Amino acid sequence: MAGKKIATRESYGNALKELGEKYQDLVVLDADLAGATKTSTFQKAFPDRHIDCGIAEGNMMGIAAGIATTGKVPFASTFAMFAAGRAFEQIRNSIGYPHLNVKIGATHAGISVGEDGATHQCNEDIALMRVIPGMTVICPADDVEAKAAVEAAYLHDGPVYLRFGRLAVPVINDEESYHFEIGKGITLKEGKDVTLVATGLCVSEALEAALMLEKEGIDAEVINIHTIKPIDEELLVASAGKTGKVVTIEEHSVLGGLGGAVSEVLGTKCPVPTLRIGIEDTFGESGPAAELIKKYGIDAESICRKVKEFV
Amino acid sequence: MIGELMDPRKTFGKAVTEIAKENKDVVVFSADSGKSSGFGDFIDQFPERYFECGIMEQGAVGMAAGMATAGKIPVFCAIAPFVTCRPYEMVRNDMGYMKQNVKLVGRNCGITYSDLGVTHQSLDDFGLMRLIPGMTILAPQDPVEIEEACKAMIEYEGPVYMRIGNPKIPVLFERKPFVIGKGDIIQDGEDVTIITTGSCTKDVIEANEILKEAGIKAKIIGLPTVLPLDEDLIRDAAAETKKVVTVEEHYINGGMGSMVTELLSDMDGVTVKRLGIPNIYATTSSNYQELLAYYDLDAKGIAKSVKAYLGK
Amino acid sequence: MADKKRVANLKLQAAKCRQNVLRMVRAGGHGHVGGALSSLDIVTALYFDKMNVDPENPKMEDRDRFLLSAGHKCLAQYAVLAEKGFFDKEVLDTYGKLAAKIPGHPDMHKLPGVEANTGALGHGMSIANGMAMAGKLDGKDYKVYAITGDGELPEGSNWEAAVAAAKFGLDNLVVFVDNNGLQISGDVTKVMDMRPIDEKFKAFGWAVKYIDGNDMNQILDALDSIPEEKGKPTMILCDTVKAKGLSFGENKAGFHFWNATEELLDQAEKEMAELVSKLEKEKEELV
């Protein structure tokens, strides 16, 4: 585990290539970003099943919808901002509403896009996709989980939004023993004082924060919610009931994303105090990814500090 | 006059046209949507300040933002999903990120386009617009409030999204200046806090009569501004009643109910029941009232849900 | 020139379909009749003459596909699907009712024969592209037909789709522009002038044909020569009459959406019934 870092977009490209061999009906679409989204890995292996739509994301989503009506399984890929943001209404109406079997592979999500800045940093894609009825929203934490998620998405019948990152992140799961199930959260560490609920790259940060907290005498439970919709209500309610305090951690706006989803569950079923850690309600900015993660307070140290104050 | 029924679109168009007589910076954008947004008189009186873009919402938002950089105050009104969902990223970047003084107005909101179906119904506009940092969201509750909201919206400098409906709605309140960000206590009570916005307020007030008969004393908060939320008012009420119900013509996730839930999530022991349309693609009917009743968003349905929530 | 019997039959079918449109308006009290009636002759020709579809097996794998990018023209598609036997005509009487299978914009999961959920403008061409591309990928010879409206063309997404269709050589794709010249606000060329539409599509790499979209002879001639050019998507620019067949509503923007009065609806039903009997006679005389 120690040292090994892979960006989940790499995992996405690799998974597509592996699945492409297994499943002949899998096709991949991109909007001029194959090199960045890593669908180029698939493209090299299966050029006939890779369609570059050019810089025209709305059209790409429409094409994916059309292809899906014929029984193929399209993975439509671009940056999160241009998938969930630019093409929102096409996803809503052309994919979501008819419940078509399209998988949206959105890379470069969140603040860790880095230098490209606010127009490319999508801190609201989870919230956007979560509003669409019938959409499954998945945000994997590492390479192992990302690859498993891609296959699960392929096997799932219906639209799926997959959120991947640009930045290389630690591999925290063991490939041999790891099991992925859509909608099922994973308890990574048991604890009794507070529940840390994290998704995506914040899972490894939360684990590290839990170790720091332990030294301060705070016993934190850590839950990885890789599927934000449908969310694992049972696991959340059970853990919140046990610890009585919940902190959500995500590389996403504190509005409408994981924190929003968890608040909605607990606000109805188990009203315990909840702290939402994420990007506050501001646009992002240009800078090195690691520094931005610190600045916006979603690194292990910031998490540890905020949890201490909260508890 | 309280109780008088007025058309929200005409009321809106007329109010903007009145303001435009004094304020020469006000310009209107249309995506084949001007007359149906109540701008008939505006077109006659100020043809040089009226910009017809055809069915081109993304372009209209971009152009409006560009014009705002030069000090104009563009008002762009069309069917709600076509000014929120379709050009989402343009609104985000050109209006939000660029902090431009554009007034976006979504009409025929919620399920008021009852039989035109999902593509024309707007049950996610709060959910989208509230994700844009710096955005203000208004949802006036009656025709007089629409008029006052127009004044406030144009006086305020910054991007605004306002949502209005389609069928005639009654005047509910005496005229008073619209203060962005302020909610009102429509009725005080201690058993439960009911928070309502936009078109739902009329039905909540009616539902209250049924609740009163059942001996339930509800504190009713009306929110003509959804963003920024009137946090103090909501927190104080929640601390008092512990039980909160939100009512909106919107999906139960993403909108005002979710915002209230997030706001109150750090309070111990406060539960929030969100009433609205479940997160499914809503069905259709040419009868709007029938559709509201189908989703328990009419007075009877709201009263039923509140009673069930309180175990009564 | 298309065979006379073939034309006579289609004209009769179209009139019957117009009756179906009126039946839905009768049920719901209103409807987007303008664009439905301007495009209805094209839809009729496609389903009754050209397309490989089976009402008994609407999901048949190799079927030709048809979709309306301008989803509000759905009364035309509902009318034709009903006449073709895709569903029971009594469904037409549920227009406007709660949870109807024929809502104000089409829903592929509610009604057999509908291929896409359109209604928001500027979606259909992209979806049609995808259907056509999958056909190419699998070496199938089905065709994809879509109707867009002249008022819809300012939507930028249409031009994304236009350039992509040419790039991918979709000669199995046919897009009709229902060029009725009117939209909700009035004259299309005044709202946003997209002319010359044919030259624009040509410049985007399409083969273009220009016809009278309410003339069955011309529609059939155009359909018989598809693909217009091998390797290119075909665009058929169809000059049409908004609200075609409503003697009091033709070429009037006010009939984009018609809140029907009893009196005018009675008149329309009467006129259409007369047209049907006339066309039935004409058809018999040819036999």
Side-chain angles (χ1 to χ4, degrees):
Chain A
M1 162 171 155
K4 198 175 171 195
K5 282 189 174 185
I6 301 172
T8 49
R9 62 177 165 140
E10 297 273 2
S11 326
Y12 175 54
N14 292 334
L16 286 177
K17 182 177 170 250
E18 275 175 37
L19 297 175
E21 280 160 22
K22 228 159 120 182
Y23 307 113
Q24 296 306 310
D25 55 1
L26 191 156
V27 293
V28 175
L29 289 80
D30 209 305
D32 190 39
L33 289 169
T37 62
K38 300 297 168 192
T39 67
S40 53
T41 312
F42 177 91
Q43 188 178 23
K44 281 185 201 111
F46 309 102
D48 292 347
R49 285 194 272 148
H50 185 278
I51 300 165
D52 195 331
C53 299
I55 305 174
E57 295 80 9
N59 181 47
M60 176 174 72
M61 293 306 170
I63 287 180
I67 289 180
T69 65
T70 68
K72 297 192 183 300
V73 185
F75 278 73
S77 316
T78 180
F79 292 0
M81 190 65 245
F82 310 130
R86 170 65 64 90
F88 176 82
E89 197 235 15
Q90 279 84 7
I91 297 177
R92 174 196 197 262
N93 286 342
S94 291
I95 296 172
Y97 177 29
H99 203 71
L100 290 174
N101 200 20
V102 174
K103 318 302 166 185
I104 298 152
T107 66
H108 295 64
I111 198 91
S112 64
V113 166
E115 289 76 1
D116 278 350
T119 55
H120 286 55
Q121 287 161 327
C122 195
N123 294 320
E124 71 261 44
D125 55 333
I126 295 176
L128 288 168
M129 290 297 106
R130 206 162 74 76
V131 190
I132 297 177
M135 181 65 77
T136 295
V137 182
I138 299 175
C139 177
D142 75 346
D143 177 60
V144 173
E145 191 162 275
K147 285 195 285 201
V150 177
E151 180 151 25
Y154 170 85
L155 294 171
H156 174 79
D157 186 19
V160 178
Y161 180 82
L162 292 153
R163 183 186 218 238
F164 304 111
R166 170 175 183 256
L167 182 70
V169 293
V171 180
I172 54 169
N173 290 300
D174 171 43
E175 187 131 27
E176 295 303 309
S177 61
Y178 182 78
H179 173 68
F180 182 93
E181 192 179 335
I182 289 177
K184 286 280 169 223
I186 300 168
T187 306
L188 294 172
K189 175 183 175 302
E190 305 249 354
K192 59 179 188 341
D193 297 333
V194 60
T195 304
L196 308 186
V197 182
T199 192
L201 68 73
C202 286
V203 174
S204 60
E205 301 289 343
L207 273 175
E208 207 182 316
L211 293 178
M212 295 175 186
L213 289 166
E214 209 162 63
K215 287 180 193 146
E216 313 257 355
I218 297 170
D219 184 12
E221 180 144 307
V222 181
I223 293 177
N224 169 13
I225 290 288
H226 52 63
T227 310
I228 292 118
K229 186 181 180 181
I231 201 160
D232 193 340
E233 296 198 2
E234 209 179 319
L235 184 68
L236 290 170
V237 169
S239 181
K242 181 172 78 174
T243 65
K245 280 193 166 61
V246 174
V247 178
T248 61
I249 310 156
E250 64 197 304
E251 189 203 3
H252 183 279
S253 169
V254 292
L255 307 175
L258 173 71
V262 170
S263 299
E264 286 167 12
V265 172
L266 300 180
T268 319
K269 298 194 169 158
C270 183
V272 301
T274 305
L275 171 71
R276 287 169 291 127
I277 298 178
I279 314 296
E280 295 300 324
D281 188 20
T282 60
F283 284 102
E285 63 181 299
S286 182
E291 285 176 35
L292 289 173
I293 286 173
K294 270 205 178 65
K295 176 168 178 184
Y296 285 85
I298 49 173
D299 62 315
E301 272 170 31
S302 309
I303 295 168
C304 175
R305 180 172 38 82
K306 289 178 192 174
V307 173
K308 259 180 8 196
E309 281 166 21
F310 177 63
V311 175
Chain B
M1 211 170 65
I2 304 278
E4 185 188 350
L5 286 172
M6 290 166 73
D7 180 314
R9 294 195 275 178
K10 286 184 185 148
T11 306
F12 158 74
K14 222 162 117 187
V16 173
T17 307
E18 278 305 306
I19 296 164
K21 284 179 187 163
E22 302 296 321
N23 190 335
K24 304 292 179 206
D25 287 332
V26 173
V27 296
V28 167
F29 275 77
S30 161
D32 194 21
S33 59
K35 277 187 193 148
S36 22
S37 303
F39 285 124
D41 288 345
F42 187 97
I43 299 168
D44 291 340
Q45 293 177 37
F46 311 107
E48 73 292 347
R49 286 198 263 154
Y50 179 77
F51 299 92
E52 176 60 75
C53 301
I55 302 173
M56 187 204 279
E57 297 83 4
Q58 302 186 155
V61 169
M63 284 185 263
M67 207 176 272
T69 64
K72 299 287 173 209
I73 308 173
V75 179
F76 172 34
C77 175
I79 300 172
F82 305 145
V83 299
T84 54
C85 296
R86 168 57 69 83
Y88 171 78
E89 194 226 19
M90 282 77 186
V91 177
R92 175 197 196 264
N93 289 347
D94 306 349
M95 281 175 60
Y97 185 33
M98 285 171 57
K99 299 191 173 71
Q100 288 308 310
N101 195 20
V102 176
K103 315 304 169 184
L104 200 62
V105 180
R107 60 170 167 85
N108 303 75
C109 67
I111 49 171
T112 57
Y113 258 143
S114 53
D115 66 343
L116 292 187
V118 167
T119 55
H120 284 55
Q121 295 168 350
S122 187
L123 298 169
D124 44 14
D125 51 343
F126 291 158
L128 265 62
M129 290 298 108
R130 74 151 173 143
L131 298 173
I132 298 173
M135 184 62 82
T136 290
I137 303 177
L138 309 181
Q141 308 161 98
D142 80 352
V144 174
E145 213 164 68
I146 290 176
E147 290 170 2
E148 293 299 315
C150 286
K151 292 181 203 161
M153 161 174 96
I154 286 168
E155 259 167 44
Y156 168 82
E157 199 178 332
V160 175
Y161 172 66
M162 179 163 85
R163 150 197 250 240
I164 58 176
N166 179 35
K168 287 186 178 175
I169 46 171
V171 177
L172 299 172
F173 312 114
E174 298 293 344
R175 184 182 296 275
K176 65 174 175 11
F178 191 104
V179 183
I180 292 175
K182 282 282 162 221
D184 297 300
I185 295 180
I186 297 171
Q187 174 186 284
D188 213 355
E190 60 275 1
D191 294 337
V192 59
T193 300
I194 303 177
I195 305 176
T196 167
T197 188
S199 58
C200 289
T201 300
K202 168 182 91 69
D203 293 300
V204 167
I205 290 172
E206 280 173 40
N208 185 44
E209 295 305 314
I210 306 173
L211 296 175
K212 273 195 220 159
E213 278 169 30
I216 296 168
K217 290 183 191 128
K219 185 196 287 286
I220 301 175
I221 293 180
L223 293 182
T225 307
V226 171
L227 186 74
L229 266 188
D230 193 339
E231 299 192 352
D232 293 342
L233 185 72
I234 295 168
R235 277 183 178 280
D236 290 350
E240 205 181 313
T241 64
K242 293 285 180 192
K243 286 186 184 297
V244 177
V245 178
T246 60
V247 190
E248 64 195 312
E249 204 175 314
H250 191 281
Y251 287 137
I252 54 167
N253 62 330
M256 184 268 283
S258 294
M259 293 166 73
V260 168
T261 307
E262 287 172 0
L263 173 71
L264 301 177
S265 67
D266 61 354
M267 290 173 79
D268 207 355
V270 172
T271 60
V272 183
K273 176 74 188 167
R274 290 167 283 127
L275 303 184
I277 311 284
N279 192 225
I280 53 165
Y281 292 103
T283 190
T284 56
S285 163
S286 63
N287 185 334
Y288 169 61
Q289 273 307 321
E290 181 185 29
L291 207 53
L292 276 183
Y294 183 77
Y295 288 110
D296 279 337
L297 274 181
D298 61 341
K300 251 165 116 181
I302 293 167
K304 186 180 80 182
S305 304
V306 172
K307 280 200 257 177
Y309 172 57
L310 299 179
K312 291 191 178 172
Chain C
M1 205 50 182
D3 174 65
K4 271 186 186 165
K5 273 188 230 163
R6 197 175 158 210
V7 173
N9 177 50
L10 287 177
K11 281 164 90 170
L12 174 62
Q13 297 301 347
K16 285 183 181 169
C17 290
R18 285 194 164 85
Q19 284 185 309
N20 290 345
V21 170
L22 295 174
R23 184 165 167 178
M24 287 181 273
V25 174
R26 172 71 69 188
H30 58 236
H32 281 106
V33 295
L37 293 173
S38 62
S39 60
L40 187 138
D41 295 305
I42 302 162
V43 186
T44 306
L46 284 172
Y47 275 95
F48 279 91
D49 190 276
K50 215 68 214 172
M51 281 170 53
N52 172 28
V53 288
D54 179 3
E56 298 299 319
N57 185 11
K59 293 273 174 202
M60 183 175 66
E61 211 181 310
D62 292 339
R63 70 191 181 280
D64 290 330
R65 272 101 171 145
F66 169 80
L67 61 95
L68 288 165
S69 184
H72 61 278
K73 299 181 203 280
C74 57
L75 292 182
Q77 193 179 12
Y78 297 159
V80 174
L81 289 175
E83 200 58 39
K84 185 85 184 164
F86 277 81
F87 58 87
D88 200 333
K89 277 197 187 173
E90 264 135 51
V91 173
L92 298 174
D93 302 324
T94 65
Y95 188 71
K97 304 286 187 289
L98 183 68
K101 286 181 182 167
I102 49 171
H105 291 108
D107 181 341
M108 63 191 282
H109 296 307
K110 282 194 172 153
L111 197 70
V114 172
E115 301 277 0
N117 292 18
T118 52
L121 298 173
H123 284 251
M125 277 172 66
S126 297
I127 300 172
N129 276 0
M131 293 173 175
M133 288 159 82
K136 289 264 173 202
L137 212 52
D138 287 345
K140 294 192 168 170
D141 58 4
Y142 66 76
K143 288 196 172 60
V144 182
Y145 301 93
I147 293 184
T148 175
D150 49 353
E152 179 184 4
L153 289 180
E155 291 282 14
S157 48
N158 287 312
W159 301 98
E160 296 184 9
V163 73
K167 186 226 152 127
F168 294 119
L170 303 179
D171 55 8
N172 52 349
L173 172 70
V174 183
V175 173
F176 300 85
V177 178
D178 180 16
N179 193 33
N180 62 35
L182 293 167
Q183 61 191 108
I184 200 165
S185 301
D187 187 337
V188 173
T189 59
K190 292 207 178 90
V191 174
M192 185 55 70
D193 193 349
M194 297 303 290
R195 291 175 301 179
I197 295 172
D198 47 354
E199 292 302 324
K200 284 193 173 75
F201 274 87
K202 268 184 209 159
F204 272 74
W206 289 54
V208 179
K209 194 143 192 172
Y210 195 173
I211 66 165
D212 176 342
N214 295 124
D215 180 326
M216 235 8 129
N217 267 307
Q218 293 193 33
I219 296 171
L220 288 178
D221 283 348
L223 289 176
D224 287 346
S225 63
I226 283 166
E228 195 58 30
E229 231 175 290
K230 202 162 170 30
K232 285 188 178 181
T234 303
M235 199 276 269
I236 306 180
L237 177 58
C238 304
D239 278 352
T240 57
V241 172
K242 190 128 184 162
K244 173 78 181 173
L246 289 184
S247 61
F248 45 82
E250 288 190 355
N251 279 326
K252 286 185 185 154
F255 283 81
H256 175 85
F257 184 84
W258 183 26
N259 271 313
T261 59
E262 194 71 20
E263 190 196 343
L264 285 182
L265 194 51
D266 286 346
Q267 185 190 333
E269 284 172 347
K270 188 167 158 273
E271 288 174 5
M272 204 49 72
E274 284 165 10
L275 180 65
V276 167
S277 344
K278 181 177 155 254
L279 291 169
E280 267 170 350
K281 262 187 218 126
E282 281 180 21
K283 192 186 157 194
E284 277 164 25
E285 281 162 16
L286 285 173
V287 175

